[in-house]
Amino acid sequence: MTLLGITPGAGPATPPTARSPVPAVPPPFPLARLLESRADYDAVFRVVRDAVHRVLGIERPGLGLGLSNLPPYVGAYWQVTGNLIVMNEGLVQAMRANAESPLEFNSFVYVILAHEYLHSLGYLDEAAVRKVTAHVTRTAFGPDHPATRMAEGDLWRQYPFLAYAPGGNGQRLKVVSRFDLASTQNYIR
C-alpha cells in the first residue's frame, strides 16, 4: 500500500527532471475553473484526470474513493493493484473548516487525489510521485495557482493545523458514491 508521506517502491516511469521542457505560460486548462467554486469529489477528480492526461498522456479508468479516519500524518493511500483511493476524512474536514475559499479547499483535494492517482498509474516511489504531481500541476495551472503551491510544498508546513486534525486507525471506511463518473457512467450508476 502506498501512503502519502511513506516511500514504498520505485515507479515504472522516469519523473520529469530539471531539464524537462516546461512551457513558460501553460496552455489554457478549461477544467481548472471547476476548482473555483464548490465542487464534489467527482468534479475535482475530473480535473485531476484531465490534467494528468494532458501533461503525461496517460490515464486509468474506474477508480473509487473512500474516506477513512486515518492518522493525521497520512493524507491518503492507494493499495497497489487496488481500485480504491482512501483519503483521510479528518484532514478533509480540517481543511474544509479552515480554507479561505472553495479554490483553496478544492486545490487541497486536487493535490491529494492527484498524488494517489499517479500512484495508481504506476508511480510507486514517493519522491518521484511528488515531483510528478508538482510537474503536472504546474504545467496545467501555472506557477501561481494554489494547487501548484501545495503540490510543490509540504502541506503540513503550509497548513500546520493539519497535524492536529482528528485521526484514527483506519478501521472505518465510507465509500464515496458517484465518483469517477467520466469513466464509469456507462456501467456504474
Side-chain angles (χ1 to χ4, degrees):
M1 134 177 22
T2 62
L3 301 175
L4 187 59
I6 311 269
T7 303
T14 303
T17 64
R19 295 182 302 247
S20 296
V22 177
V25 177
F29 182 45
L31 288 183
R33 63 178 166 62
L34 291 177
L35 299 183
E36 295 172 6
S37 57
R38 285 185 61 114
D40 62 10
Y41 293 110
D42 180 61
V44 175
F45 191 64
R46 279 182 46 215
V47 177
V48 169
R49 284 176 50 89
D50 192 55
V52 169
H53 187 261
R54 286 176 65 119
V55 175
L56 301 177
I58 56 177
E59 62 185 336
R60 176 189 172 169
L63 289 174
L65 177 66
L67 300 173
S68 186
N69 59 332
L70 303 172
Y73 56 86
V74 178
Y77 70 87
W78 168 78
Q79 187 171 348
V80 176
T81 74
N83 290 332
L84 190 69
I85 294 171
V86 179
M87 284 182 64
N88 187 329
E89 187 174 26
L91 293 183
V92 171
Q93 291 171 349
M95 192 64 186
R96 182 176 281 128
N98 289 281
E100 295 180 8
S101 69
L103 177 61
E104 184 177 32
F105 175 73
N106 291 336
S107 293
F108 173 80
V109 172
Y110 166 90
V111 169
I112 299 288
L113 288 176
H115 182 101
E116 297 307 325
Y117 181 56
L118 287 164
H119 277 313
S120 80
L121 291 169
Y123 292 91
L124 300 182
D125 179 73
E126 197 63 30
V129 83
R130 285 176 188 248
K131 289 177 185 175
V132 176
T133 302
H135 170 72
V136 166
T137 305
R138 177 179 275 272
T139 303
F141 298 107
D144 298 324
H145 195 278
T148 302
R149 289 192 297 271
M150 290 179 198
E152 292 179 342
D154 180 329
L155 289 172
W156 285 261
R157 284 191 179 173
Q158 293 171 3
Y159 301 100
F161 60 83
L162 293 176
Y164 305 102
N169 58 8
Q171 288 184 340
R172 183 181 44 77
L173 177 71
K174 293 190 292 189
V175 175
V176 174
S177 63
R178 304 189 54 75
F179 182 77
D180 195 14
L181 293 177
S183 69
T184 61
Q185 65 186 354
N186 294 331
Y187 60 92
I188 296 177
R189 302 247 178 230

